[in-house]
Amino acid sequence: MIRLKQYHLNKNQYFVCGILLGILLSLYVPNYDSTEAADLTCADLTTTDDKYGEDFEPQLNFAQKPMSAKKATKNIVRPRYYSSELGIREKLFIGVMSAQNEIDTLATASNKTVAHLVNKIKFFINADNVKSNFKLKNIVGFTDTREHLRPFHILKYIADNYLDDYDYFFLVPDTTYIDARSLREKLSHISISFDIYLGTKMHAEDVESESDANYCDLDAGIILSSSVIHKIRANLDWCVRNAATQLHSLNIGRCVKYSTKIDQCQPAWQGIKYSSYKLSTQRIYRDFHFLRDDPKFNEATAVFPVTIPDDFYRLHIYFSRLHLESAITRMAELEADSAKISNGSISNDILEMRWPMGVPPSSIPDTRHDLLTWITLNNTHSFLSDPETNVKPLPAMDAADFTKILNHTLADVARNYEELEFLSVHTAYRRFDPIRGMDYKLLLRFRDKSTRRITLKAYEVMKPLGMVEIIPSPYVTESTRIAILLPTFEHQVKESINFIDYYEKICMENLDNTFLMIVFLYGAEAPNKGDQDVFGQLKARALNLSEKFKTDGSRIAWVSIRLPSEFTKPFNPESLSLSSVYGDDEILSLAVTDLALRKIGLDSLVLVASNTMTFKPDFLNRVRMNTIQGFQLYSAIGFMMYPCRWSGLCKECNSCDVSQSLGYFDVKNFDVISFYSRDYVEARKKLEASVPIVRTDRDISQLLNRTDKSINSIVDMFIKSNTPVHLLRAVEPNVKFGGGLLNHLDKGSSYLQCIYRNDPSKWGKCIQMGSKKQLGEWLVKQQSNIHK
């Protein structure tokens, strides 16, 4: 018996079979030589057409290559402001119809009561005989004197100039008082997506037919949305042709009806009602006690007719008071609601409730140096107001502010605690926060009238910051030329040479736009010529540098002043203990400036410097930016360096940044100040009677006999002159003092006592040897050495 065995082929077997068949087929197919194949092809082509036998030259078609884009790409121009790109517009434009003879009366009164509360207001008049001396500037005049067409001239003017800038336009005559706060508040709750023709319907007795009474009364004010104005602009020709009546309300209403298909006035929209009040009498001052009891009057957005300018102010005062009372009521309700919400069950960290409501909390300081400190004070003095002062009297303004705060607190105590009698202030603290305002903490002592017991009550009082005002400032640049005045006494030659060397490196080598004038202050008998000249070395150095940088236009000049015998005295080394370069004769700064300005001119930017200071180029740029002609002068508070190399209390580092261990900002030093010559001359002339102007060297002695002894420096002179020029006084880390004292101590001189050591009120003018911490550590170390 024969058995058949069945085989099953898998995938690999199929693959192997395929490879074998491919090899067999490749062996069977004949292999042609490549050259023969090429010959056969050419022979075959030549038999068809002779032209293909020639050398082939490709033909390139340049007619449509390279292909250009069908549409040129346009660069997208982004608007400058987000509001332009997003279509955000201002809320309200008010157009007031007035007359030339009412500009200084009704129109002015309307402008003063409305302009500061709305986005824009314009007054429209017929300009057949326009005056040019109107005090009111926002006036538009039309040469077409046809009265019935004036509303359409106004609508065309609005459509051409302000259609895309405002959401709503309010038309009203100048005999209508507008409660602008109420109007603005109501419009803020209405959607701008619809056509709005809002106002008060005309009275039936004012028109001939009942259908005309459906239009808005212009005397009560008409509100038109921007979409309505847009549609009216497209149909102005029809509106002008059909203006057949002298009633502006009817002409405007018919134009709106034709353009927008709104057939009647809308007294309310989206739940917001516009209300007005028509006065039955024109004597508001007499009937005010009747009007204030009328709810319709209190709810009115417009009151008309008002024919007396003073009535505008009376109405404005009244409605402003209503808004203030309403705001106070809402504030109290919000505080009560906030307290109810919390009720002790919700953490204040979640609610973020702060006192007082609406005032931001104090910012968290980045470092311990930014911590805002509380200053202890009483009715007359403040304690530890700065690291260098223990006790000082309160300035008049601060004393008045503290008295006002105390009286306000006592008034609150009298309302809530009638049984308490105020005795005195136990403790008071004050802190100024640039984010919040002025905070006070008061601990007051009272006596109970019934029990005669003494009790203490703590109060916290807050004075929030008012509205922030941006003061416009004239334009300044960093390319202004600075004339630097450098006063130099006979004992300060070394300091001035060091200053000139520093000036050469900072200004002359860098081609900074500056000019240095040295002011030599000779004594009454000091030689000023030849080899005996006390300033000979300094003059030679100035001449060499002027010759060296002659091609660059940078030079050093000088002016010599002969001091009278009253200001000539033997050099006292103890005068070096004072921070001012003038020692105890700061009044000489006026003499130096008076005489030096005669060599400079009236339009120059002048910087009065100190020869003991060092500075960086950034300081000169700050002088240029902060000194503005006719507007502002700049007094820099430099950094006084401790004599570390001599005292050993600290490590000397002239290249380091300012630090508490290296020195302090000397607020009592007024040597460095910049101003424009013309501003100085104008201020100086105002005080010539009390402080004589120095025109020659002989006039310097008159400064000792000045009637106003409170003027001792240029800063004092500007403050006392009451000129419109502001004084900017700020710390300047790029200006450092202390070179004069170090030069003297490096000579091996002994410790200098302060020239004002017997006058504590002037101790602030003496140079400090170290910080309180460094001096305290030195005292502790000395005591420990003694005990050893």
Side-chain angles (χ1 to χ4, degrees):
M1 185 176 185
I2 300 174
R3 294 181 178 180
L4 299 176
K5 189 175 183 179
Q6 188 175 4
Y7 291 91
H8 297 279
L9 300 177
N10 55 20
K11 294 181 180 180
N12 293 334
Q13 292 172 341
Y14 285 115
F15 178 72
V16 173
C17 293
I19 293 176
L20 294 175
L21 289 175
I23 295 173
L24 293 175
L25 288 174
S26 63
L27 294 174
Y28 176 75
V29 175
N31 186 15
Y32 295 100
D33 185 75
S34 60
T35 56
E36 293 178 357
D39 292 340
L40 289 174
T41 304
C42 291
D44 193 26
L45 288 174
T46 53
T47 58
T48 305
D49 196 347
D50 293 338
K51 69 178 181 179
Y52 291 105
E54 300 176 358
D55 293 336
F56 178 74
E57 295 182 1
Q59 301 294 325
L60 302 180
N61 182 12
F62 292 100
Q64 297 181 352
K65 296 180 180 180
M67 298 293 289
S68 60
K70 294 182 179 180
K71 293 184 179 180
T73 57
K74 296 182 179 180
N75 294 328
I76 300 176
V77 179
R78 298 295 299 272
R80 184 174 182 180
Y81 304 104
Y82 290 124
S83 58
S84 302
E85 186 169 4
L86 300 177
I88 300 174
R89 294 176 290 195
E90 299 288 351
K91 182 58 65 177
L92 179 61
F93 176 98
I94 293 183
V96 181
M97 297 177 60
S98 186
Q100 295 185 45
N101 58 347
E102 299 293 350
I103 290 298
D104 295 331
T105 54
L106 296 178
T108 300
S110 178
N111 184 71
K112 289 183 177 180
T113 56
V114 174
H116 61 289
L117 299 173
V118 298
N119 303 114
K120 193 78 171 180
I121 183 172
K122 286 282 187 180
F123 293 87
F124 299 94
I125 63 174
N126 289 330
D128 56 337
N129 185 18
V130 178
K131 297 188 299 181
S132 59
N133 58 347
F134 285 135
K135 295 181 180 180
L136 202 61
K137 300 305 180 184
N138 50 343
I139 302 175
V140 178
F142 301 119
T143 56
D144 189 351
T145 59
R146 290 175 292 180
E147 182 62 23
H148 68 287
L149 296 182
R150 183 149 63 128
F152 303 111
H153 287 301
I154 296 175
L155 292 173
K156 185 178 186 304
Y157 177 86
I158 290 173
D160 293 342
N161 297 279
Y162 298 105
L163 182 59
D164 297 329
D165 298 332
Y166 298 92
D167 289 335
Y168 298 101
F169 299 88
F170 185 68
L171 302 182
V172 70
D174 60 0
T175 56
T176 302
Y177 169 76
I178 308 167
D179 185 3
R181 293 185 179 90
S182 176
L183 179 62
R184 186 182 58 190
E185 175 67 18
K186 290 180 178 180
L187 292 179
S188 64
H189 296 287
I190 299 179
S191 174
I192 192 59
S193 303
F194 301 93
D195 293 341
I196 305 298
Y197 174 49
L198 193 64
T200 301
K201 291 185 178 181
M202 299 181 65
H203 296 280
E205 60 270 16
D206 296 335
V207 293
E208 297 179 356
S209 62
E210 294 183 0
S211 60
D212 292 339
N214 291 326
Y215 297 129
C216 292
D217 189 358
L218 180 62
D219 291 334
I222 300 176
I223 300 173
L224 301 173
S225 62
S226 58
S227 59
V228 171
I229 298 291
H230 186 273
K231 294 177 180 179
I232 289 177
R233 181 171 63 176
N235 298 279
L236 270 178
D237 292 339
W238 184 94
C239 297
V240 172
R241 290 195 305 269
N242 291 273
T245 179
Q246 294 296 324
L247 294 177
H248 297 320
S249 303
L250 294 183
N251 292 335
I252 295 175
R254 291 168 182 170
C255 182
V256 172
K257 181 178 179 180
Y258 179 82
S259 303
T260 64
K261 311 307 178 185
I262 301 176
D263 56 354
Q264 61 180 350
C265 181
Q266 302 162 335
W269 186 259
Q270 295 180 345
I272 304 300
K273 182 180 179 181
Y274 176 83
S275 59
S276 61
Y277 189 87
K278 185 174 182 180
L279 298 171
S280 58
T281 177
Q282 297 181 357
R283 298 181 179 180
I284 296 178
Y285 66 92
R286 186 188 64 184
D287 300 330
F288 229 128
H289 60 286
F290 295 115
L291 294 173
R292 66 184 183 184
D293 296 331
D294 191 345
K296 293 183 179 179
F297 176 76
N298 294 327
E299 296 174 358
T301 304
V303 179
F304 68 97
V306 183
T307 58
I308 302 175
D310 290 344
D311 288 343
F312 277 89
Y313 305 122
R314 294 187 180 98
L315 291 170
H316 189 66
I317 292 173
Y318 177 75
F319 282 99
S320 298
R321 180 178 179 179
L322 291 181
H323 288 292
L324 179 60
E325 293 175 351
S326 177
I328 294 174
T329 303
R330 289 197 303 269
M331 188 182 301
E333 292 175 352
L334 287 173
E335 290 183 357
D337 292 341
S338 300
K340 290 179 181 178
I341 291 174
S342 176
N343 198 22
S345 60
I346 304 178
S347 173
N348 188 44
D349 295 335
I350 299 176
L351 291 176
E352 294 185 353
M353 291 176 56
R354 295 293 182 267
W355 181 89
M357 298 292 292
V359 178
S362 180
S363 59
I364 301 175
D366 296 331
T367 64
R368 63 184 180 88
H369 302 291
D370 300 325
L371 186 66
L372 299 175
T373 58
W374 290 87
I375 298 175
T376 308
L377 69 157
N378 57 22
N379 304 62
T380 58
H381 291 76
S382 62
F383 306 92
L384 299 176
S385 57
D386 57 73
E388 311 301 332
T389 306
N390 293 330
V391 182
K392 71 175 182 180
L394 278 178
M397 186 177 296
D398 291 344
D401 186 65
F402 180 78
T403 302
K404 182 179 179 180
I405 292 297
L406 182 60
N407 293 337
H408 184 81
T409 306
L410 294 179
D412 184 78
V413 174
R415 287 192 300 268
N416 299 304
Y417 304 97
E418 298 180 357
E419 70 280 3
L420 295 182
E421 178 185 1
F422 174 68
L423 295 179
S424 62
V425 177
H426 182 276
T427 313
Y429 303 93
R430 183 182 66 182
R431 182 187 69 176
F432 177 72
D433 191 329
I435 296 178
R436 287 169 51 87
M438 188 72 76
D439 286 300
Y440 284 89
K441 290 184 178 180
L442 307 177
L443 189 60
L444 308 179
R445 185 182 290 108
F446 296 92
R447 178 189 291 117
D448 195 313
K449 296 178 182 179
S450 58
T451 63
R452 311 302 295 176
R453 295 183 59 183
I454 305 299
T455 181
L456 295 177
K457 283 193 173 295
Y459 278 87
E460 186 171 349
V461 187
M462 169 67 189
K463 284 184 59 178
L465 291 175
M467 183 180 295
V468 178
E469 181 181 359
I470 299 177
I471 301 177
S473 177
Y475 176 74
V476 293
T477 65
E478 294 185 353
S479 59
T480 308
R481 184 178 179 87
I482 301 178
I484 303 176
L485 299 183
L486 187 69
T488 303
F489 289 88
E490 297 176 17
H491 62 277
Q492 296 172 343
V493 173
K494 183 177 180 181
E495 287 78 6
S496 294
I497 291 178
N498 294 338
F499 182 92
I500 292 178
D501 294 340
Y502 200 78
Y503 175 79
E504 176 191 5
K505 183 190 304 181
I506 297 297
C507 299
M508 303 184 80
E509 292 181 358
N510 295 327
L511 302 180
D512 199 307
N513 193 14
T514 58
F515 161 68
L516 179 62
M517 175 176 283
I518 309 174
V519 182
F520 297 126
L521 298 171
Y522 286 93
E525 304 296 335
N528 61 350
K529 293 182 180 179
D531 297 337
Q532 302 298 323
D533 190 351
V534 293
F535 296 112
Q537 183 182 2
L538 194 55
K539 291 180 179 179
R541 178 64 174 153
L543 289 174
N544 292 336
L545 289 178
S546 297
E547 185 66 26
K548 178 180 179 181
F549 294 95
K550 182 178 180 179
T551 57
D552 298 330
S554 181
R555 65 188 183 93
I556 300 176
W558 67 75
V559 60
S560 299
I561 297 176
R562 177 73 66 177
L563 296 176
S565 57
E566 292 86 348
F567 287 97
T568 303
K569 42 194 167 183
F571 171 62
N572 182 9
E574 291 187 0
S575 64
L576 297 176
S577 64
L578 301 180
S579 60
S580 175
V581 71
Y582 305 98
D584 56 350
D585 293 326
E586 290 185 76
I587 191 63
L588 285 177
S589 61
L590 292 176
V592 168
T593 310
D594 288 347
L595 295 174
L597 286 186
R598 303 172 68 88
K599 306 290 184 180
I600 296 178
L602 291 179
D603 296 323
S604 300
L605 172 57
V606 179
L607 171 63
V608 181
S610 169
N611 52 28
T612 64
M613 79 177 196
T614 59
F615 61 93
K616 295 182 180 180
D618 290 342
F619 166 65
L620 297 179
N621 292 331
R622 199 164 289 119
V623 167
R624 295 183 177 101
M625 299 301 292
N626 292 333
T627 311
I628 307 170
Q629 186 171 6
F631 183 79
Q632 182 172 279
L633 55 98
Y634 178 50
S635 176
I637 303 176
F639 188 76
M640 181 65 70
M641 302 288 290
Y642 294 137
C644 299
R645 185 169 66 248
W646 177 84
S647 65
L649 298 177
C650 52
K651 290 185 179 180
E652 184 179 25
C653 182
N654 294 325
S655 61
C656 296
D657 294 333
V658 296
S659 171
Q660 292 181 347
S661 61
L662 296 177
Y664 61 99
F665 286 104
D666 192 355
V667 296
K668 300 296 184 180
N669 190 325
F670 300 94
D671 291 347
V672 181
I673 183 173
S674 60
F675 50 83
Y676 276 87
S677 302
R678 191 178 300 276
D679 296 335
Y680 178 88
V681 171
E682 292 177 359
R684 197 73 174 86
K685 287 181 179 179
K686 290 188 175 183
L687 296 176
E688 184 175 5
S690 57
V691 183
I693 297 177
V694 179
R695 293 181 172 87
T696 63
D697 296 353
R698 298 177 181 178
D699 298 335
I700 299 178
S701 58
Q702 298 179 9
L703 295 177
L704 290 176
N705 301 323
R706 63 188 184 280
T707 57
D708 193 347
K709 297 294 183 179
S710 63
I711 299 178
N712 295 304
S713 64
I714 299 176
V715 172
D716 295 337
M717 186 271 299
F718 271 105
I719 294 175
K720 292 286 186 177
S721 64
N722 292 324
T723 59
V725 181
H726 302 275
L727 170 63
L728 175 61
R729 182 156 170 81
V731 294
E732 183 53 70
N734 292 323
V735 173
K736 296 180 180 179
F737 299 113
L741 180 60
L742 273 179
N743 291 337
H744 179 75
L745 295 175
D746 288 343
K747 297 177 182 178
S749 303
S750 59
Y751 171 72
L752 297 177
Q753 293 186 358
C754 178
I755 196 173
Y756 290 137
R757 58 186 178 274
N758 297 323
D759 189 355
S761 63
K762 297 183 179 181
W763 282 352
K765 296 184 177 182
C766 297
I767 299 176
Q768 301 177 17
M769 296 292 107
S771 64
K772 284 187 176 182
K773 178 183 177 181
Q774 294 167 346
L775 294 175
E777 291 176 349
W778 180 82
L779 287 175
V780 172
K781 185 178 180 180
Q782 296 301 317
Q783 290 178 357
S784 61
N785 292 336
I786 292 175
H787 291 302
K788 289 181 181 179

